[in-house]
Amino acid sequence: DTGVSQDPRHKITKRGQNVTFRCDPISEHNRLYWYRQTLGQGPEFLTYFQNEAQLEKSRLLSDRFSAERPKGSFSTLEIQRTEQGDSAMYLCASRRDSEAFFGQGTRLTVV
Amino acid sequence: DQQVKQNSPSLSVQEGRISILNCDYTNSMFDYFLWYKKYPAEGPTFLISISSIKDKNEDGRFTVFLNKSAKHLSLHIVPSQPGDSAVYFCAASLASYGGSQGNLIFGKGTKLSVKP
């Protein structure tokens, strides 16, 4: 499968714990995006990388969130000291030309 | 302030008829528009796109129309099939943020139900 891959698909964590998600983009895509989606909303932009450089961050990305893309390949999104409001679907997308392709998402539930 | 708006949360259509999903935007700097389809518990799947230099793009049963003066685009599905039942998202790219390769701004989606 050469699509965008996200791991894990589901994560249940206790409030206050740290979680890390991984995204493997389509190999020739130099741009990688993280989005968050909650019920009844469209995907909301979090951050974006071109190769290894993080070019843009949304104000939704509080200090508890950090994203990396070492070597311009896979990316990780870490949430520290999780809160119940962090419960959402976290989506990764990669893009080379005009169309962005999404992974299956990671469903985070904070209890 | 929502820059991409899908004002119809849901739409129900009979199989074989046309489905028309609408999207309005407020920022005239958007230069590229995309439609995505999403099933529950899955990521969005790319359907069709259109550049701001065009007013129509067609791909099989899917056609997207862009009216820049009205800041409006629509997705037509003809004929509609039960397998088309999903949530459809409209998205736009901002020219000043890398244009067609920049960040995508999404609407809230329209849930399409195609009844047999």
Side-chain angles (χ1 to χ4, degrees):
Chain A
D1 187 347
T2 57
V4 178
S5 176
Q6 290 188 248
D7 184 68
R9 290 290 307 277
H10 304 276
K11 179 72 177 177
I12 299 174
T13 191
K14 291 184 178 179
R15 189 175 53 191
Q17 297 294 304
N18 298 344
V19 293
T20 300
F21 309 140
R22 178 180 169 122
C23 172
D24 287 273
I26 296 170
S27 59
E28 64 268 26
H29 288 188
N30 61 345
R31 296 178 184 241
L32 186 147
Y33 304 79
W34 284 99
Y35 287 83
R36 180 175 71 184
Q37 185 176 19
T38 53
L39 197 62
Q41 302 294 319
E44 296 172 296
F45 170 74
L46 292 178
T47 190
Y48 136 63
F49 292 85
Q50 180 172 337
N51 300 314
E52 66 274 12
Q54 189 172 19
L55 296 187
E56 190 180 349
K57 291 167 64 173
S58 163
R59 62 176 180 270
L60 290 176
L61 213 67
S62 75
D63 291 345
R64 297 185 297 106
F65 288 70
S66 62
E68 294 182 345
R69 192 183 181 198
K71 302 178 183 178
S73 55
F74 72 93
S75 175
T76 57
L77 177 69
E78 182 183 15
I79 309 174
Q80 296 182 327
R81 305 181 302 283
T82 52
E83 301 172 357
Q84 286 188 319
D86 297 331
S87 296
M89 172 79 86
Y90 290 83
L91 295 163
C92 174
S94 71
R95 198 173 191 188
R96 183 186 64 185
D97 298 315
S98 302
E99 287 74 40
F101 295 90
F102 283 83
Q104 299 274 51
T106 295
R107 168 71 65 188
L108 173 66
T109 303
V110 182
V111 297
Chain B
D1 181 30
Q2 202 176 358
Q3 298 188 70
V4 178
K5 299 177 184 178
Q6 295 178 257
N7 292 319
S8 298
S10 62
L11 175 68
S12 183
V13 170
Q14 205 66 32
E15 180 180 6
R17 305 295 288 267
I18 185 171
S19 296
I20 300 176
L21 298 112
N22 293 304
C23 178
D24 296 293
Y25 60 95
T26 58
N27 194 330
S28 58
M29 292 298 291
F30 286 138
D31 74 335
Y32 203 78
F33 303 89
L34 306 91
W35 283 94
Y36 285 85
K37 173 180 176 181
K38 188 178 184 300
Y39 294 116
E42 293 186 9
T45 301
F46 170 74
L47 272 178
I48 192 169
S49 61
I50 188 166
S51 165
S52 60
I53 62 173
K54 295 185 177 181
D55 54 19
K56 178 182 175 181
N57 188 27
E58 189 172 352
D59 183 2
R61 296 186 298 114
F62 302 92
T63 302
V64 56
F65 295 92
L66 175 62
N67 182 336
K68 288 191 292 293
S69 61
K71 296 192 182 69
H72 176 83
L73 63 156
S74 60
L75 174 68
H76 293 211
I77 306 173
V78 182
S80 302
Q81 300 173 353
D84 296 329
S85 298
V87 178
Y88 288 77
F89 291 100
C90 168
S93 269
L94 196 60
S96 60
Y97 286 171
S100 61
Q101 295 194 26
N103 170 32
L104 293 175
I105 300 170
F106 284 83
K108 292 190 175 185
T110 296
K111 183 175 182 180
L112 174 66
S113 299
V114 180
K115 302 193 182 302

